[in-house]
Amino acid sequence: MEEATTTEQPKRARKLGRIAVYIFAAVGLLFSVFIAVMALREPPPETHTIDAAEAIEGVMTRNYGKYSETQRGWLYVDEESHRTYLVTVVQQKKVEGKEGDELYLVASGNAVESNSGSDSFYGVFQLRYRDGQLYEYSDPRRPSGVDPVTPERVHFEALSAHVWGWVVKTISTETGEGEEFTTTQNVVLAPRNEQIAVLTEFNAAFQVIGAGDCKETERRYAEWEKAQGEKKAAPAEGDGAAETVAEEEGDAEEFVPPRCTQLAWSYRTDPVTDSTFTPLYITRKPGMQGGAQTEAKTWKVMFDPKSYTYLMPEELKNVGS
């Protein structure tokens, strides 16, 4: 005999199903509220602050020695030459890092008494927190050329969203036979791991002159060129005269006056938004090279993360060599 099914059984089943859904929904809501409450109860990650004055005092004293109130700088004594340098802070910048403040410093040192001409150096420093501890990463003594680095020769740049660095201008001079070479170099530096890395170097200015300025250099070259032409055009009077002319030409070939070179470059960066390094846009301004006019030109220089350097094109390398 078949069992009779009433309409009450399906209604009861549907009611039990709705109750189960409500229970699961309530449990999910409670679980979400629990997670939110726990998240609010957990303290936010601790961020650290740096007292700039105190930090600078510590960095400079550790690396260069005692502070001189009278000379308003730190007196650094070279261990080998025993020469004394006056070192000052020419730039300080503070940015927000992953664990709090990061402090970036550039120091500049100049020999107090030097019988060998200008003698200077600069140093770069980064102070930042890692795992709650404050660390110093530095390159305290780099050559700066014929004179000390000044504040206007230091640019603090955002190279990526997470990397800041410096572009420091150094000036060097060399002399040749009747000519002088002056090179202003841009040195790009940035912290990497536990050291300061040089990302690239490129010219900011390059000049070659003889006696006087560029105009005087070209005038003297023009006079020399005219004299050479007159010698070649002069008629020879006998073998003795020919030998004399040849000797004079040989003497003239020993020294050729230089041509003027005056070149300058500027650069810019892109705004940074992520871990990708900004390109460097390097522009050569209109100028003169070897007495000839040069036109403006711009290069886009990309960063190579494998070598951690900017890949300079050949045209920007060894200018004037």
Side-chain angles (χ1 to χ4, degrees):
M1 182 178 180
E2 294 183 359
E3 184 177 355
T5 301
T6 66
T7 57
E8 294 296 328
Q9 290 176 328
K11 291 181 179 180
R12 188 179 300 112
R14 287 195 296 271
K15 185 176 181 181
L16 291 174
R18 287 196 297 271
I19 292 173
V21 170
Y22 295 152
I23 291 173
F24 282 122
V27 170
L29 178 61
L30 290 173
F31 185 69
S32 299
V33 171
F34 175 77
I35 292 176
V37 170
M38 293 302 295
L40 291 174
R41 290 183 60 185
E42 290 181 3
E46 184 179 1
T47 57
H48 304 274
T49 59
I50 295 176
D51 184 317
E54 181 180 344
I56 291 171
E57 174 69 29
V59 167
M60 299 295 286
T61 301
R62 283 193 300 274
N63 287 277
Y64 302 117
K66 293 183 179 181
Y67 182 80
S68 169
E69 292 287 349
T70 57
Q71 301 192 60
R72 303 183 69 178
W74 286 261
L75 296 178
Y76 169 72
V77 180
D78 183 83
E79 294 181 356
E80 295 184 2
S81 67
H82 304 292
R83 187 172 296 164
T84 300
Y85 297 81
L86 178 65
V87 189
T88 58
V89 176
V90 294
Q91 188 188 82
Q92 64 181 77
K93 298 288 184 179
K94 187 187 289 188
V95 302
E96 184 178 347
K98 293 181 179 179
E99 296 188 30
D101 289 343
E102 295 181 358
L103 185 64
Y104 294 77
L105 304 175
V106 180
S108 179
N110 190 34
V112 175
E113 294 180 0
S114 177
N115 297 324
S116 58
S118 299
D119 185 5
S120 63
F121 66 86
Y122 70 98
V124 288
F125 304 85
Q126 182 205 38
L127 292 178
R128 67 179 173 88
Y129 282 92
R130 190 184 72 192
D131 300 327
Q133 297 293 321
L134 184 62
Y135 288 86
E136 174 187 316
Y137 308 100
S138 64
D139 189 348
R141 189 167 179 182
R142 297 185 55 83
S144 57
V146 297
D147 54 10
V149 168
T150 55
E152 58 270 17
R153 283 164 47 191
V154 180
H155 290 272
F156 190 59
E157 298 282 0
L159 301 176
S160 78
H162 310 296
V163 177
W164 290 82
W166 307 269
V167 180
V168 181
K169 284 182 169 60
T170 62
I171 302 174
S172 62
T173 59
E174 298 179 35
T175 56
E177 187 177 358
E179 59 187 344
E180 181 181 78
F181 303 81
T182 303
T183 304
T184 303
Q185 194 84 351
N186 285 312
V187 185
V188 185
L189 308 107
R192 184 193 185 193
N193 298 330
E194 297 181 0
Q195 61 184 356
I196 305 296
V198 177
L199 276 55
T200 192
E201 298 181 33
F202 61 96
N203 280 353
F206 180 67
Q207 176 178 270
V208 181
I209 55 174
D213 57 11
C214 185
K215 185 178 180 180
E216 178 66 14
T217 298
E218 285 298 298
R219 188 188 69 79
R220 293 199 178 195
Y221 179 84
E223 288 181 350
W224 172 86
E225 190 175 43
K226 180 181 178 181
Q228 291 300 105
E230 291 174 350
K231 287 178 182 179
K232 291 180 180 179
E237 297 180 0
D239 294 338
E243 290 177 1
T244 302
V245 171
E247 289 177 359
E248 291 177 354
E249 288 180 350
D251 292 340
E253 288 176 358
E254 293 180 2
F255 174 71
V256 179
R259 304 296 304 272
C260 175
T261 293
Q262 283 189 327
L263 298 172
W265 294 261
S266 63
Y267 79 92
R268 69 173 180 86
T269 59
D270 279 338
V272 295
T273 56
D274 53 28
S275 60
T276 303
F277 273 61
T278 173
L280 297 176
Y281 299 90
I282 302 174
T283 298
R284 183 187 65 204
K285 302 176 183 179
M288 179 179 289
Q289 185 167 13
Q293 296 294 324
T294 58
E295 297 180 350
K297 184 175 180 179
T298 298
W299 293 264
K300 181 179 181 180
V301 182
M302 303 303 295
F303 184 78
D304 176 26
K306 292 184 179 180
S307 63
Y308 213 76
T309 60
Y310 281 95
L311 302 176
M312 282 292 154
E314 290 298 325
E315 289 179 279
L316 292 175
K317 295 180 181 178
N318 305 317
V319 175
S321 61

